């Protein structure tokens, strides 16, 4: 019996697996904690020693609902973190790769972290006697697993994909803010590979999940991720465009959104208008797909328009604030919200930050509050005024900007201050006295 088959049978009997996760950021840590909670033995690997130490102390290095509690339950039992890739790979049978794939200025994605990890894992596989499966969770453009991941693993290991080791593309669909909920209750799981035995090994890990598992080719799995994010981003820019038209006509965009969202072909999700999408995924992934299709000689008109509408929404917000104040210089402005959405401490590509930069350029005085996002922003802008709580920021200012949909912002005393809402947080009958929505 092949090593690989023995391994599969052994795992089936013990009903848990030995899994390593390389890259313990937002995706890798949730995957690691989730798989540990399901009973697997998990080793999380990262090059950031501080992050590793924190995890081993059962402290969450990022904010995500439920994460601290799950770390307390699993670390020291069946979850640990390390910087030692070699030990982790040699003592596990499956490695999830969750390193970052950030974008360059014009949208091409940077693959240096992916190339490095595949090379390093390959070097270790050289010594490994048993078969290993590498599962790519990072978002990479169609073709990357075959053009970059597999060649790097093969060159460094001197072994052959399909025969000596397996590879699966398993795109991640979690939403920050409800990432654990999404881990335990996914809508679907996509497994792409040209090697059925690799897919079978990974399928076993997900055997407790009730959702459909879609088996695809590598490129299809990669494209599903980009197409899904492009669709969601399109819905957001669509409702923002509808909102920009509605506002000019005195029509309530939220009523229109409800009216169209109840059509089951459309659905209500992602039909909330506001300052546009941010975060580490939508802007980067749509731009990467635009860039890729231009390289292939196709001009993607819808996706470019999605990005154009999104780029303009923060500018509309700034115009509204400037009009309300009659200029920005020296004006006292409360900034409520820094993270790109509620429920996370992630400020990557947050529209709030681009708005803040413009306010700083215009010499406004800012009073800033966010329940989770202040530590990373303090390192970028150390000299700004960070408030102890949201009410204090409101009280110091002459106008209030709501830039993240944290629920606590609904319950503040705004008095007669002008509130400009970029996140559509209030029900229409509970809005502050002096209120403007960006596109409703
Ligand atoms: P992240 O920056 O939070 O985490 C990446 C981690 O990889 C970091 O901790 C970094 O130190 C580590 N790392 C880099 N090189 C390494 C190496 N050689 N060995 C070990 N660790 C290494 O990124 P993220 O938000 O978790 O995203 C990871 C990938 O998943 C990206 O491709 C992203 O597009 C995709 N994705 C992200 C989300 C999300 O909501 N954040 C959702 C779906 C998909």
């Amino acid at each position: 019996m092949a090593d690989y088959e023995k391994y599969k049978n052994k795992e089936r009997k013990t009903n848990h697996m030995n899994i390593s996760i390389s890259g313990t950021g937002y995706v890798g840590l949730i995957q690691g904690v989730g798989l540990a909670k399901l009973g697997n033995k998990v080793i999380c690997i990262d090059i950031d020693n501080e992050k590793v130490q924190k995890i081993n102390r059962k402290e969450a290095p990022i904010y995500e609902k439920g994460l601290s509690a799950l770390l307390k339950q699993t670390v020291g039992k069946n979850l640990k973190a390390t910087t030692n890739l070699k030990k982790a790979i040699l003592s596990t049978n499956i490695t999830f790769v969750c390193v970052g794939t950030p974008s360059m200025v014009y949208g091409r994605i940077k693959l240096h972290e992916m190339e490095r990890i595949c090379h390093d894992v390959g070097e270790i596989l050289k010594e490994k006697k048993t078969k290993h499966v590498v599962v790519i969770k990072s978002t990479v453009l169609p073709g990357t697993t075959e053009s970059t991941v597999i060649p790097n693993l093969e060159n460094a290991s001197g072994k052959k994909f399909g025969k000596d080791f397996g590879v699966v593309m398993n795109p991640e669909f979690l939403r920050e803010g409800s990432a654990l909920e999404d881990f335990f209750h996914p809508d679907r799981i996509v497994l792409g590979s040209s090697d059925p035995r690799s897919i079978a090994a990974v399928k076993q890990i997900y055997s407790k999940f009730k959702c459909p598992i879609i088996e695809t080719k590598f490129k299809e799995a990669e494209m599903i991720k980009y197409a899904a994010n492009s669709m969601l981003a399109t819905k957001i820019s669509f409702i923002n465009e509808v909102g920009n038209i509605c506002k000019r006509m005195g029509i309530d965009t939220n009523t229109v959104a409800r009216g169209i969202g109840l059509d089951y072909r459309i659905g209500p999700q992602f039909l909330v208008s506001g300052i546009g999408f941010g975060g580490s995924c939508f802007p980067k992934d749509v731009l990467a797909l635009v860039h890729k299709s231009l390289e292939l000689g196709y001009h993607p008109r819808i996706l470019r328009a999605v990005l154009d509408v999104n780029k303009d929404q923060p500018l509309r917000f700034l115009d509204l604030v400037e009009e309300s104040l009659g200029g920005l210089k020296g004006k006292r402005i409360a900034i409520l919200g820094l993270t790109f959405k509620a429920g996370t401490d992630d400020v990557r590509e947050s529209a709030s930050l681009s708005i803040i930069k413009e306010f700083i350029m215009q010499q406004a005085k800012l009073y800033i509050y966010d329940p989770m996002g202040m530590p990373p922003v303090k390192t970028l802008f150390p000299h700004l005024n960070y408030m102890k709580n949201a009410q204090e920021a409101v009280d110091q200012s002459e106008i209030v900007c709501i830039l993240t949909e944290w629920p606590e912002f609904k319950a503040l005393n705004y008095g007669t201050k002008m509130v400009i809402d970029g996140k559509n947080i209030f029900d229409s009958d509970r809005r502050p006295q002096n209120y403007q929505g960006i596109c409703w």
Side-chain angles (χ1 to χ4, degrees), residues 21-29 45-48 51 62 85 97-102 113-114 116-117 120 137-140 171-176 225 229 280-281 284-285 340 346 348:
I21 315 266
S22 190
T24 312
Y26 286 85
V27 169
L29 186 55
I45 310 144
D46 208 284
I47 47 175
D48 181 344
K51 201 176 269 189
I62 53 166
L85 181 70
V97 173
C98 308
V99 297
T101 50
E113 287 185 10
M114 182 60 71
R116 179 178 160 191
I117 192 68
D120 292 353
K137 272 220 150 282
S138 301
T139 303
V140 290
E172 176 57 59
F173 300 105
L174 67 76
R175 297 162 300 168
E176 287 177 24
K225 174 65 190 169
N229 274 0
S280 68
C281 290
K284 155 178 95 83
D285 293 349
F340 81 95
D346 196 346
R348 290 178 287 184

Side-chain angles (χ1 to χ4, degrees), residues 11-50:
E11 295 289 348
R12 225 173 250 139
K13 272 180 217 140
T14 53
N15 204 27
H16 74 257
M17 300 201 177
N18 292 316
I19 297 168
S20 46
I21 315 266
S22 190
T24 312
Y26 286 85
V27 169
L29 186 55
I30 295 299
Q31 182 77 2
V33 168
L35 290 173
K37 173 71 184 167
L38 293 176
N40 300 287
K41 269 187 109 170
V42 180
I43 306 176
C44 285
I45 310 144
D46 208 284
I47 47 175
D48 181 344
N49 189 41
E50 207 180 308

